[in-house]
């Protein structure tokens, strides 16, 4: 923008812009990039601003500082606060899916595609709310419609389900179909050793009546 | 002609009607229905001439307007005017209701505009966890493999057990927590001992996964195909479900 | 932690922890949450720390400040840096909500929980697409199911709605009465054509919470 002036005011405005940028950025920013964004006359000027900010944070006892990482600069909390900050994130992990939702998710994952009625037969409770939550969280979706009265919606898990379960090595994973075959889910004893389910519909132990 | 520009901006029939009411300085509580119907139909015609897609709702409203218009033409019974409903009543109520929310939308738009000028922190990078001590952490894939052998095991036993009551993931988590309170480590397969119903095994498995996600459990093995052990990670800054510090 | 001491050192350490937490968090943090995380003896102590930090940022000319939003506190850049920071996020920032989306969002905000049908009754148009957009933007979510045929999903706004709009809480929004009064220039009929709201519950679409 302006000519390369050496007034303190100009330096201060570059410093404030650099600070706002480092503050808002989710990735480290290189000095050249900061120069381009702020219109600073040179990367050197940006580095001076970073130096001044860094000194100021140290002297005024801020809880954060500037670190140089991956070829750029980034604001980060001081290591001494890692305890309190990790408590913040630990607490957050808890707010994921509720346990009833997880249970329903497990059933969908292993019995998909499955209707709401079938899920409720297994869980023994109404699943409307949890299904809505799971759909909203995009871990399951309606994958089709079943036979029979009212052609019920069928639910299946989504790709996001795998992500949610913390799956990093995506490509290596067997498909759910494959899993199902491996786990031989539907392979029941040829002669049932106990009477077929129906007289204990509330137990969650007899989900297999829908087999083949 | 500003018509074309404006036309596409109408979000629906109510929006168009409010525009006409404002433009012609009409008293919303006493809408001249013939006038407004004529103007409304005129707009729809133009939309069609311009080959703009006219949503079905616009035609429904056109029919409504014409019905009200014809009702207004019916002779009124003398003396019963008080009790007779004005045919415009419902439409006016809808317009008033919609107008409030249109105003609310404009308010939100200005709040949105203000908020977009400021930027919160985005780099929510949790601090690095302590490094693994022995062995390596297993992936979900390894856990699924292990689960597979659990299933194989019960299939061989060919026993069909019924779970007395539906077991919840929550209960399983509690049970595993209790086990780990007594011992520092437990074998993965050990947690399934005595479980024969598929749903119960799945629930146990889910409980293990959830605890790993929550950082309450670490699954490790010394080599591939070795036994998987579950450990409690460092217990220093553990927080219970209520979010209160506990360590 | 420690007993409630009134030494300056203790205050300063709470202040630094609060700063580190606000700095590390990507969402607003409530005073009570900050108190629990830092072990501050009370929310009041946290609020004092926030006040002190806020003053310090202002006096030392930082590029950011503390705002109260969505029931909590958050660090954000100052509006004067919107230009330079926008350049950083160019192409990455989500588009503004469209007017139909804002209208639908407003209806959900004031009438929650509310079904799609009820929203459509007010807007007079199909709202499928907009609702999907709003859910995707995480400003509304499915919060339950209603009575009646098909048990329709009910929608409510999320905490993120408040954050997205920069609102402290719902009290930050004008009331429906207030919105209505903005049109007071309309000639009122001598006898009201429309009876005061609240005494017609039979129209199926309108939730009855619109009396106030």
């Amino acid at each position: 923008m302006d000519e390369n002036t050496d007034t303190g005011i100009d330096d201060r405005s570059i410093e404030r812009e650099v600070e706002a940028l480092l503050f808002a950025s989710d990735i480290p920013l290189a000095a050249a990039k900061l120069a381009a964004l702020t219109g600073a006359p040179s990367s050197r000027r940006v580095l001076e601003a970073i130096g001044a900010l860094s000194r100021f944070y140290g002297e005024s006892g801020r809880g954060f500082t500037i670190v140089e990482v991956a070829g750029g600069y980034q604001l980060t909390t001081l290591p001494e606060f890692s305890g309190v900050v990790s408590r913040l994130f630990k607490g957050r992990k808890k707010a994921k899916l509720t346990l009833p939702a997880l249970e329903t998710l497990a059933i969908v994952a292993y019995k998909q595609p499955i209707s709401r009625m079938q899920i409720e037969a297994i869980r023994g409770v109404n699943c409307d709310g949890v299904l809505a939550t799971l759909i909203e969280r995009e871990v399951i979706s309606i994958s089709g419609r079943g036979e029979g009265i009212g052609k019920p919606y069928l639910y299946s898990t989504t790709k996001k389900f795998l992500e949610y379960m913390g799956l990093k090595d995506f490509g290596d994973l067997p498909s759910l179909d494959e899993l199902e075959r491996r786990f031989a889910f539907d392979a029941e004893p040829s002669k049932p050793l106990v009477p077929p389910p129906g007289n204990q519909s509330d137990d969650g132990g007899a989900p297999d009546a829908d087999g083949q | 002609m500003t018509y074309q520009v404006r036309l596409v901006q109408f979000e629906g029939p109510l929006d168009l009607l409010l525009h006409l009411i404002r433009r012609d300085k009409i008293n919303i509580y006493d809408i001249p229905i013939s006038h407004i119907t004529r103007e409304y139909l005129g707009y729809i015609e133009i939309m069609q001439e311009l080959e703009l897609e006219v949503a079905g709702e616009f035609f429904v409203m056109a029919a409504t307007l014409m019905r009200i218009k014809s009702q207004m033409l019916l002779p009124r019974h003398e003396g019963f005017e008080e009790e007779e409903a004005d045919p415009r009543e419902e439409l006016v109520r809808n317009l008033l209701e919609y107008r409030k929310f249109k105003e609310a939308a404009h308010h939100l738009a200005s709040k949105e505009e203000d908020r977009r000028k400021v930027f919160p922190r985005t780099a929510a990078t949790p601090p690095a966890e302590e490094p693994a001590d022995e062995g390596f952490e297993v992936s979900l894939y390894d856990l699924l493999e292990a689960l597979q052998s659990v299933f194989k095991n019960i299939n061989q036993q060919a026993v069909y057990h019924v779970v007395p009551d539906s077991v919840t993931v929550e209960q399983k988590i509690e049970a595993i927590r209790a086990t780990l309170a007594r011992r520092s480590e437990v074998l993965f397969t050990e947690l399934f001992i005595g479980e024969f119903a598929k749903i119960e095994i799945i629930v146990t498995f889910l409980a293990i996964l959830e605890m790993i996600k929550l950082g309450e459990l670490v699954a490790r093995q010394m080599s591939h195909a070795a036994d998987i052990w579950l450990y409690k990670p460092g217990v220093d800054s553990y927080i219970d479900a209520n979010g209160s510090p506990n360590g």
Side-chain angles (χ1 to χ4, degrees), chain A, chain B:
Chain A
M1 310 259 155
D2 292 339
E3 281 289 292
N4 182 342
T5 56
D6 276 303
T7 68
I9 292 159
D10 194 39
D11 282 354
R12 186 69 191 102
S13 103
I14 288 172
E15 194 182 307
R16 295 184 79 210
E17 291 198 336
V18 166
E19 183 177 51
L21 286 165
L22 291 176
F23 178 94
S25 179
D26 52 350
I27 50 169
L29 297 173
K33 169 110 183 179
L34 285 165
L37 286 166
T38 58
S42 65
S43 293
R44 191 182 53 78
R45 188 65 75 83
V46 167
L47 291 175
E48 282 166 13
I50 289 172
L53 286 168
S54 195
R55 270 193 307 281
F56 176 80
Y57 297 152
E59 283 161 12
S60 67
R62 294 301 93 208
F64 50 85
T65 187
I66 301 178
V67 294
E68 191 179 352
V69 56
Y73 297 87
Q74 191 168 37
L75 282 171
T76 176
T77 48
L78 291 170
E80 65 183 286
F81 297 109
S82 72
V84 69
V85 173
S86 65
R87 285 209 286 282
L88 170 69
F89 288 103
K90 211 152 209 167
R92 186 180 303 182
K93 280 183 210 158
K94 302 265 177 190
K96 295 253 167 159
L97 286 175
T98 63
L99 296 172
L102 271 173
E103 229 175 274
T104 307
L105 181 56
I107 293 164
V108 175
Y110 289 99
K111 305 286 278 182
Q112 59 191 309
I114 183 169
S115 72
R116 180 172 57 79
M117 293 260 290
Q118 289 169 318
I119 298 167
E120 288 177 352
I122 295 172
R123 290 195 62 225
V125 290
N126 179 296
C127 296
D128 275 342
V130 250
L131 281 173
T133 306
L134 293 173
I135 288 175
E136 193 198 315
R137 299 289 290 265
E138 294 172 35
V139 288
I140 69 169
S141 65
I142 292 168
S143 57
R145 305 194 79 152
E147 299 296 307
I149 302 154
K151 297 217 161 203
Y153 286 130
L154 298 178
Y155 299 90
S156 296
T157 55
T158 62
K159 222 172 193 176
K160 199 158 172 183
F161 160 72
L162 297 175
E163 283 170 45
Y164 178 79
M165 283 305 169
L167 197 51
K168 291 199 189 77
D169 41 351
F170 233 99
D172 292 340
L173 257 168
S175 71
L176 282 165
D177 277 353
E178 198 182 330
L179 282 179
E180 194 155 343
R181 258 180 280 121
R182 286 186 180 198
F183 294 161
F185 261 113
D186 292 312
E188 285 303 311
S190 46
K191 270 182 294 180
L193 301 177
V194 291
N199 41 1
Q200 67 278 340
S201 57
D202 57 341
D203 59 40
D208 320 281
D210 54 357
Q212 31 293 74
Chain B
M1 216 175 267
T2 57
Y3 270 9
Q4 292 93 322
V5 197
R6 293 211 55 101
L7 273 172
V8 285
Q9 292 177 349
F10 291 120
E11 291 170 36
L14 292 172
D15 197 26
L16 173 51
L17 283 174
L18 282 181
H19 165 72
L20 296 172
I21 287 166
R22 204 169 40 241
R23 188 197 66 183
D24 297 349
K25 299 188 173 58
I26 287 169
N27 177 357
I28 196 166
Y29 296 95
D30 189 17
I31 298 172
I33 209 78
S34 306
H35 169 79
I36 208 96
T37 304
R38 190 169 57 244
E39 293 299 310
Y40 182 91
L41 293 177
Y43 259 93
I44 292 203
E45 236 167 75
I46 293 164
M47 284 196 248
Q48 287 177 309
E49 271 169 32
L50 292 173
E51 298 187 342
L52 294 172
E53 198 184 330
V54 181
E57 293 99 349
F58 282 93
F59 296 107
V60 174
M61 178 58 76
T64 304
L65 288 172
M66 289 188 283
R67 189 193 39 143
I68 295 173
K69 188 176 151 188
S70 65
Q71 281 171 346
M72 299 288 285
L73 293 174
L74 291 176
R76 306 220 137 198
H77 300 292
E78 293 292 325
F80 286 94
E81 218 168 306
E82 286 298 315
E83 286 123 68
E84 237 174 308
D86 190 308
R88 299 169 296 182
E89 186 182 317
E90 195 191 341
L91 177 66
V92 173
R93 195 189 304 131
N94 288 345
L95 283 169
L96 289 173
E97 180 84 343
Y98 175 68
R99 190 171 68 168
K100 271 189 292 189
F101 290 110
K102 210 170 158 49
E103 187 64 19
H106 286 299
H107 180 79
L108 286 182
S110 76
K111 298 303 278 184
E112 182 190 35
E113 182 71 31
D114 288 347
R115 176 67 178 181
R116 285 172 71 90
K117 291 198 179 98
V118 307
F119 297 81
R121 292 275 298 158
T122 47
T125 34
E129 294 290 321
E130 71 277 20
D133 42 32
E134 274 188 7
F136 50 92
E137 292 199 25
V138 302
S139 67
L140 177 56
Y141 180 77
D142 298 315
L143 288 177
L144 286 168
E145 289 280 353
L147 181 65
Q148 182 187 354
S149 64
V150 172
F151 275 114
K152 238 183 241 154
N153 202 22
I154 59 154
N155 279 340
Q156 278 163 10
Q157 298 185 24
V159 188
Y160 196 105
H161 279 242
V162 167
V163 194
D165 280 307
S166 56
V167 190
T168 67
V169 176
E170 188 163 33
Q171 288 163 347
K172 280 295 172 196
I173 288 180
E174 283 309 319
I176 297 170
R177 275 183 190 149
T179 306
L180 283 169
R182 281 180 274 113
R183 304 160 47 182
S184 61
E185 64 203 31
V186 63
L187 259 182
F188 176 82
T189 46
E190 204 179 327
L191 292 176
F192 296 91
I193 288 173
E195 294 186 355
F196 300 101
K198 282 168 196 165
I199 187 66
E200 195 180 4
I201 290 167
I202 290 168
V203 164
T204 301
F205 184 61
L206 263 284
I208 293 170
L209 286 186
E210 185 63 9
M211 289 179 79
I212 290 173
K213 282 178 62 60
L214 296 177
E216 288 187 40
L217 267 190
V218 177
R220 294 217 177 99
Q221 60 187 164
M222 298 310 291
S223 67
H224 277 296
D227 286 338
I228 291 175
W229 286 90
L230 302 170
Y231 300 85
K232 211 164 19 168
V235 286
D236 38 329
S237 56
Y238 170 73
I239 298 215
D240 71 25
N242 300 322
S244 54
N246 188 20

